[in-house]
Amino acid sequence: EKLLSPSGALSGKHALVTAGPTHEPIDPVRYIANRSSGKQGYAIARAAADAGARVTLVSGPVDLPDPPGVNVVRVESAREMLAAVEKALPADIGIFAAAVADWRVAHAGEQKIKKIGDASSALSLIENPDILATLSHRKEGRPPLMVGFAAETEKVIENAQQKLLRKGCDLIVANDVSTATGVMGGDQNTVHLVSAAGVETWPTLSKTEVARKLVERLSDLAGAMPS
Ligand code: CTP
Ligand code: CA
């Protein structure tokens, strides 16, 4: 299997990958989460290691084994993920496949929150740091090749093009995560590569195949950069 990717195409490169959801605490026993399984990000980390890269995988809570040959850093929240990512720098390639929670609870309870009679309850939410945008816009230490993902349920290409500009990354891997597609948690993915060069749509592939093809593409792009 390993022979399918050009061996050593990423040797000498450090690839930093994020994967999985984040969990944002509400109180000691509750959290906000999303349906990300981490499968696509884990497959990418594995494919990058197979291509000879040194790989750091910063992972939210998932039910997956560590990919062989990959340095896995496990975190819970978006803020922990950002800290772990910054600690892992410098990197030659950043691949941000994590489904980072957009919001966290403004004041997570130190004790379990109790029901108060018949009163309705509201959590007040604040925005999490955007890890991809933070790194892309760094003046120093920006990985030269920055890849983001765009999980969309409508206007997939249009939204991805806007994200490419807003986040300041070099490439966006966009996909349709509507429930009907079965992408979230499933083993297949239909992606569009969106960059300044245009849009390329790949056929539906397994997440392993998407990972291999993406790593092959990134090897070509990284080969064109000074190491
Ligand atoms: N991302 C990130 N940190 C965040 C939110 C998103 O690093 N706090 C990254 C994701 O890992 C992904 C890309 O940004 O690579 C796009 O994530 P997405 O959720 O699609 O974009 P958002 O900017 O959060 O926009 P929205 O969810 O409103 O569509
Ligand atoms: Ca988001």
Side-chain angles (χ1 to χ4, degrees):
E1 275 207 321
K2 215 170 168 176
L3 296 174
L4 287 176
S5 64
S7 81
L10 284 180
S11 72
K13 305 283 186 190
H14 179 207
L16 174 57
V17 182
T18 69
T22 62
H23 285 182
E24 308 298 327
I26 296 171
D27 66 22
V29 297
R30 306 184 178 101
Y31 56 81
I32 299 174
N34 63 63
R35 296 184 193 283
S36 169
S37 65
K39 284 178 186 172
Q40 187 63 80
Y42 272 59
I44 291 166
R46 193 200 169 126
D50 284 350
R54 175 167 77 84
V55 182
T56 304
L57 172 61
V58 180
S59 173
V62 297
D63 191 16
L64 296 171
D66 291 4
V70 169
N71 174 30
V72 183
V73 182
R74 292 190 183 258
V75 299
E76 296 266 333
S77 68
R79 287 188 294 175
E80 287 168 13
M81 186 172 276
L82 175 61
V85 159
E86 293 196 312
K87 203 175 160 200
L89 294 175
D92 301 288
I93 306 178
I95 306 166
F96 298 82
V100 183
D102 290 324
W103 300 280
R104 69 175 178 274
V105 176
H107 304 285
E110 274 178 40
Q111 305 298 334
K112 186 181 165 194
I113 300 167
K114 302 304 260 181
K115 289 178 290 189
I116 335 165
D118 57 3
S120 67
S121 184
L123 290 174
S124 88
L125 301 178
I126 53 176
E127 253 186 58
N128 269 327
D130 188 316
I131 300 166
L132 170 61
T134 302
L135 258 78
S136 285
H137 292 124
R138 266 173 89 110
K139 296 240 153 49
E140 273 168 47
R142 177 196 193 270
L145 187 51
M146 292 284 295
V147 182
F149 278 68
E152 307 294 346
T153 58
E154 58 174 353
K155 298 187 213 144
V156 176
I157 305 288
E158 208 178 302
N159 283 328
Q161 282 167 331
Q162 283 172 12
K163 272 177 195 168
L164 182 76
L165 297 177
R166 197 168 73 232
K167 309 251 178 184
C169 55
D170 304 295
L171 182 70
I172 290 267
V173 180
N175 63 7
D176 186 336
V177 293
S178 310
T179 318
T181 66
V183 171
M184 295 297 256
D187 291 316
Q188 305 227 303
N189 207 355
T190 314
V191 305
H192 314 270
L193 261 53
V194 179
S195 71
V199 181
E200 187 181 321
T201 298
W202 287 355
T204 299
L205 299 167
S206 71
K207 288 182 177 177
T208 307
E209 288 165 325
V210 168
R212 285 217 195 95
K213 249 171 98 81
L214 181 65
V215 163
E216 234 173 79
R217 180 62 58 89
L218 298 178
S219 305
D220 291 344
L221 294 171
M225 306 177 321
S227 57

